[in-house]
Amino acid sequence: MYQKLLHTKGLRLLGGLLGSLLLAAAINVFIVPQGLYGGGAYGLCQVIRTLVLRALDLELPFDLAGVLYFCVNIPLFMLAFRALGREFFLKAAICTAANSLFLAIIPSPAVPVIPDMLTSCMVGGILVGFSGGLVLSCGCSTGGLDILGLYLSKKGSRFTVGRFSITFNAGLYTLCFFLFDATTAIYSAIYNVLSNLFLDRLHRQNVTVQLLIFTKKNDPQLPRYIMEQLDRGVTSWAAKGGWTGDDVQVLCVCLSKYEIDTLRQVMQQVDPDAFYIVQEGVHAGGNFKRHLG
């Protein structure tokens, strides 16, 4: 079911919306009741909300952080449209608007569901990391640092979304340390590190691999699919089997680890007897395209 969700274009936006809902629910149910702060742009919005409400002595029927988060994302939407493509921009705008709405309206329990703060950090971090990874793997985004992280990962293959987020949050939680207290800052940081480590484990799009495909069928369908559907270049050459002496076509393509499963399904349809070799962690430069989903 999960693979079908990732590889069916019509379902990917639905998966992104589902991930946005789960992410908001995990934050409001496990993190907010403990008085902790999320990471990234939303965490910054939470800090601003707390300072504004304290200064004005206000109580609102909704979470102001969700509204602020949507406003912060407006300039980031412009970056997504210009640098990451129209399709990604549309999906990011829809999922971010939905996520901001969920964050504002999903009620937080007055008493923490899990009394122990460390356990709440672990459960919340895992759920938020899984939800964020689902959103990104579906080619969507909930905005904030996701957009900046994806932009940087597109420019440099060693820069992951999670690493960028952890770097930003180091400064954010230092601010929390001075504005609030050490306990809030430390446990918020623990939650955030867990969520980003889990996110990076699930989100594999910026891991570059080299794929060598060996097939006895000189069928143009497979290289055509790679070029037209995956938008990747293909290099092919003729070879001979060392044992049989049969003619073999070898296809070489660099793509993201996320795209292997999609390509493997097509290989099984074109030539069930074909096999492939994967080499991970290769460095690709020049005219190599890094995709966002």
Side-chain angles (χ1 to χ4, degrees):
M1 181 62 183
Y2 181 71
Q3 293 297 327
K4 182 178 181 181
L5 184 69
L6 294 184
H7 302 299
T8 303
K9 189 172 183 179
L11 295 177
R12 299 185 76 187
L13 179 58
L14 180 61
L17 290 172
L18 176 61
S20 301
L21 174 61
L22 293 176
L23 189 150
I27 291 176
N28 284 1
V29 172
F30 295 102
I31 303 304
V32 174
Q34 294 284 6
L36 303 180
Y37 292 85
Y42 180 67
L44 182 60
C45 291
Q46 285 181 300
V47 173
I48 295 173
R49 172 211 58 198
T50 301
L51 296 178
V52 169
L53 294 182
R54 284 183 180 180
L56 300 179
D57 194 22
L58 293 176
E59 288 188 10
L60 300 176
F62 59 90
D63 193 341
L64 181 61
V67 178
L68 293 174
Y69 184 63
F70 182 80
C71 296
V72 166
N73 275 289
I74 293 177
L76 295 177
F77 287 157
M78 298 175 63
L79 174 65
F81 182 78
R82 295 177 57 185
L84 304 179
R86 181 175 178 272
E87 181 180 356
F88 178 79
F89 162 76
L90 290 175
K91 290 189 290 186
I94 293 172
C95 288
T96 302
N99 183 245
S100 300
L101 177 63
F102 296 145
L103 287 168
I105 66 174
I106 293 178
S108 298
V111 179
V113 176
I114 302 176
D116 182 67
M117 189 174 291
L118 181 59
T119 305
S120 293
C121 290
M122 294 178 64
V123 174
I126 291 173
L127 291 176
V128 169
F130 170 80
S131 303
L134 175 61
V135 172
L136 292 176
S137 296
C138 287
C140 304
S141 171
T142 55
L145 297 190
D146 285 357
I147 293 178
L148 290 175
L150 286 170
Y151 176 77
L152 291 175
S153 68
K154 183 179 180 182
K155 295 298 182 180
S157 60
R158 294 185 179 181
F159 216 124
T160 69
V161 178
R163 289 174 187 169
F164 175 71
S165 182
I166 289 175
T167 302
F168 177 90
N169 288 315
L172 176 63
Y173 293 130
T174 301
L175 180 64
C176 288
F177 178 84
F178 290 105
L179 289 177
F180 308 118
D181 55 71
T183 300
T184 299
I186 291 172
Y187 279 100
S188 295
I190 291 173
Y191 146 72
N192 188 258
V193 170
L194 285 172
S195 65
N196 280 288
L197 290 176
F198 203 84
L199 183 149
D200 268 355
R201 293 286 295 179
L202 190 64
H203 179 239
R204 306 177 299 166
Q205 286 179 243
N206 57 339
V207 178
T208 305
V209 301
Q210 180 188 64
L211 200 67
L212 292 177
I213 303 171
F214 299 84
T215 174
K216 293 183 180 180
K217 291 186 177 181
N218 191 12
D219 192 330
Q221 181 180 350
L222 184 57
R224 186 185 303 119
Y225 175 87
I226 296 172
M227 291 183 288
E228 295 179 358
Q229 300 299 320
L230 298 182
D231 196 22
R232 301 294 191 183
V234 182
T235 301
S236 65
W237 60 87
K240 284 187 176 294
W243 179 259
T244 63
D246 295 337
D247 292 332
V248 178
Q249 183 185 28
V250 182
L251 303 175
C252 178
V253 57
C254 284
L255 67 169
S256 69
K257 192 173 182 179
Y258 169 74
E259 295 166 311
I260 294 177
D261 293 333
T262 303
L263 182 56
R264 183 173 56 191
Q265 295 174 6
V266 179
M267 286 174 50
Q268 292 175 346
Q269 297 174 3
V270 176
D271 183 5
D273 297 323
F275 71 95
Y276 61 91
I277 300 174
V278 178
Q279 181 179 357
E280 295 186 13
V282 297
H283 175 72
N287 196 31
F288 174 71
K289 295 184 178 180
R290 292 181 175 85
H291 291 187
L292 302 177

